[in-house]
Amino acid sequence: MAMLGSVLHLSPMVLTITSSTSRSFLPKQSERTKEATSSSLKNCKTIDELRMFHHSLTKLGDVSVTTITKLVARSCELGTRESLSFAKEVFDYSEANVELNGSCFVYNSLIRGYASAGLCKDAILLFLRMMNSGISPDKYTFPFGLSACAKSRANRNGIQIHGLIVKLDYAKDLFVQNSLVHFYAECGELDCARKVFDKMSERNVVSWTSMICGYARRDLAKDAVDLFFQMMRDENVTPNSVTMVCVISACAKLEDLEMGDKVYAFIRSSGIEVNDFMISALVDMYMKCNANDIAKRLFDQYGVRNLDLCNAMASNYVRQGLTKEALGVLNVMMDSGIRPDRISMLSAISSCSQLRNILWGKSCHGYVLRNGLESWDNICNALIDMYMKCHRQDAAFRIFDQMSNKTVVTWNSIIAGYVENGEVDAAWETFNTMPEKNIVSWNTIISALVQESMFEEAIEVFISMQSQEGVNADGVTVMSIASACGHLGALDLAKWIYYYIEKNGIQLDVRLGTTLVDMFSRCGDPESAMSIFNSLTNRDVSAWTAAIRAMAMAGYAKRAMELFNEMIEQGLKPDGVVFVGALTACSHGGLVQQGKEIFNSMEKLHGVAPEDVHYGCMVDLLGRAGLLEEALQFIKDMPMEPNDVIWNSLLAGSRVQGNVEIAAYAAERIQVLAPERTGSYVLLSNVYASAGRWNDMAKVRLSMKEKGLRKPPGTSLIQIRGKTHEFTSGDESHPEMPQIEAMLDEITQAANHLGHVPHLRNVLMDVDEKEKIFMLSRHSEKLAMAYGLISSNKGTTLRIVKNLRVCSDCHSFAKFASKVYNREIVLRDNNRFHFIRQGKCSCGDYW
DNA sequence: CTAGGGTTAG
C-alpha cells in the first residue's frame, strides 16, 4: 500500500500512464508538466516508475539536457543494480538522440552517480571517454572524477586529472582544490595533499576537514590534531560536525583520552550539532581509550535506537575481548526492535569464535542465511574463522569452497585456523601457496613459528619477508620477533630490532614496550631494558612486571623492590603476576624480611589471594636463605595441598644448604605427586653426593634407571655473527669440533693451573673418574663457551643461553675462563643471569 | 559539486 501511495503522489502525467492504456489521455507538453518534472522525479522510488517517466518524456518529445540529466541523477540515487544500468541506458540514448551541444551535464551526472554508488572504475572510464569525445569538462566534473579516483585509489588517473585541471585553468577553484586535497590524502600522498592545501589562497571548512581527515586516516593522527588547533586559530573558518568527527577519530587513533575529553568539551560549548555520526565517533573514541564507562554513559544517554552506535559499541567490545558485553549490546539492540545488519553480525560471529562457542556461532550462521548476508565476503571470512576456531574444518571449507571472491583475509583466516588446530605444517603449506599475502599473513606464520619454539625459523621468515618480498614489518611483527629474540638471548639481533622499530616509525606503545623490556632483560642487557621502560608513558601493571623481572633476573633485588614500591605509590593495582616477580627478586637477593612483608600484604592490602606459585616463591626464598625448617612449617600451614612445584622449591633450597633429611623428604613427596619429574632426582642425587652419601646417591640413580628416566639433555645457544649455534651436552657434530676441543683443553689446563678442581658430583652416570672428567668437559655451556672464544673478536662479551640450571662445574669453569681470556661471559640459565667478569659472578655463587 | 562513524584475519 505504501508503494501505491507513492505512485499516487506522482504528477498527473505519470498517473495517467499508470492507470490507463489509452495514449489519448496524455497531457500535452506544457509549462505545468515541465514544472512538475522535478518533483515527480523525486517521487520516483522504483525502476519501473523511472522507466515510465522516461517513456513519457520521449513521447512528449522532451529531450532537454536538463531533464535527461535529472533523470540520470535520480536513477543513480536509487542505487540498485537495475537503476544504475537504467541510468546508463538513458545516458546512451541521450548521447545518440539528444542535441547535447557539447554539454557535459549528462556526463557529470552519470560520473557522479557511478562514483557515489561505488562503481569507481566506470566513473573513471566515463570521465576518460568524455575527454576523448572532445566534450569540455566544467568545474563540477573534476570533483566527481577525483572522488572516484580517491575511492578506488586510482592514483595515476587522479594525477592525470590534476594535470588536466592545471591545463584547463581550474586550479584556482576552491571546490576543485578541496577535491584534490581529498584525493591525495585518501591515496596516502599526504605531502602532495598538503602542498595543494598550503598553496590555496582561500580555504573553507571542507579544505581543513579534508586535510585533517587525511592525517587521521593514515597513522598521522598527531598531525591531524595539530592541524585542527591551527584551524581554530584561523578566524575565517569555523569547524562543523564533520570536522569534529575527524578530530574525534584522530583522538581515538592516538588513544589520547585527555585530548578526546577536551574535544568533547569544546563541541558542547561551541554549539556544534551533535549528530548520530558524532555520537558513534565519540563512543568509539572512548572505547579505544579504554574508557568504557564514559562510552557506556553516552550510549545509555543517546539510546539504542541507532544501529551504527550499537555496532560501534559491539565491535569495540569484541576488539577488547569482552565478547559477553558485545553480545549483550546486540541483544539489547534486537530487544528494541533493531535488526542486526552485516556489520553487527561481524561482531557477533567474531564473539562466537573468540568464545569458541559453536552453538551460538551456528545460530549466527543461520541468521546470516535467513537475511541473505552471506553474499558479503567479510561475513564469510568471519564464519570461516569461527568454524576453524571451533575445530569444524569441514564447515569452514564448505563456506570457503563456495566463495566466489576469496580475499587475502579469507586465506589468512584459513592459515590462522590451521595454527589454531595445531596443524602448523598445513598452515605453512597454505601460506606458501596462497595467491596474495599481506602483513597479517606474515605475522600469522611468524607468530605460529614462535609459538612452536621455532625461533630461528621465525627470524628467517621475518628476514626473507623484507629482503625478498619487500614487505615492511609492523608492531605485531616486531612483537613476535622480539619474543623470539628474547628466547634465544640474541642481543645483537635485539639491538637491531630496536633500531628497526625506531627507523621505521613503528609506534612503541605499552604492549610493544613491555615486550622489548622483556626482550632486553632476557638478552642480558638490563640497562637497555630499563631505558625503554623509563621512556614508556602510561605504564600498566604488565610493564612494571617486566621491569621488576628484568631487575630480578639480573640480580638487582633492591632495585626490583624499589620499582615495586614505586608502582604501588603510583596507585596501580598489583596482580598475581607482579607479586611473582617481586617475590622472585626477594628470593634471588636474599631479602627475607621484605619478601615476607610483601607476601603478607598480598591479601590484606591488595586483595590478591596468594596462589600456589606465590607459596612456591616463599618456600624458595626461605629455603635459599637457609631457613629450611621455617620453609617446611610454611608448607604445612598452606591452605591448599602443596603441589610438586612447591616441594621442588624446598628440595632446591635443601641442596643449596646441603640438608639431606629435608631434601629426601621433599623428594619423596615429589615422587608421589609427579613421578615423571626428572629434575628432582638430579637434585636429590646432588645433595647425597655433596654429603658424601654415595650409597644413597647410587640408589637414586638406580631408581631413575628403573623408571626409565633420563636427565634431559642440556643445551646451550650462542650467536656468532647473527647465526645461532646450538650445542647439546656431549654432542660432537659441530663442524668446527676439532678446534673447539683444542680450545676446551687449553682452558681446562689454564683453569686447573689456577686451582680449578672438577666438580665430579655433577656427573650422575655410573662411570669411572676419567670418564666423569671427560663427560663434564663436554657440557653444552662449555662447548658454547669454547666456540665463542675461538670465533668471536677479542674482548667481546660471550652470551650463552642454557635451557637448564647452570652446573656448578661450568659456573666455576666460566669464572676461570673470564679471567684467563679477559672476557665478560653472560650466562643465562632457566631462571636467572650470571654476569661473569674477571673471575667473579654477579650471583655471588648463590643460585 | 568537495569533507565524516562502525568492517573480518595476527
Side-chain angles (χ1 to χ4, degrees), chain A residues 153 230 267 418 504 605 760 815:
Chain A
R153 304 288 141 88
Q230 207 179 314
I267 292 167
Y418 275 135
N504 291 283
L605 256 59
L760 295 182
K815 289 197 291 185

Side-chain angles (χ1 to χ4, degrees), chain A residues 212 216 220-230 232-233 243-269 281-282 284-286 288-289 291 294 538:
Chain A
I212 291 170
L220 296 162
K222 187 80 187 58
D223 297 273
V225 175
D226 289 346
L227 195 63
F228 171 65
F229 283 116
Q230 207 179 314
M232 297 284 279
R233 276 180 258 123
T243 319
M244 295 325 292
V245 166
C246 298
V247 178
I248 296 164
S249 79
C251 295
K253 274 244 165 102
L254 291 171
E255 294 177 24
D256 188 340
L257 183 56
E258 211 179 310
M259 184 67 73
D261 271 334
K262 273 190 205 157
V263 169
Y264 187 29
F266 165 76
I267 292 167
R268 279 177 299 186
S269 67
L282 281 166
D284 181 57
M285 181 272 290
Y286 279 119
K288 292 242 159 74
C289 296
I294 305 177
N538 304 323

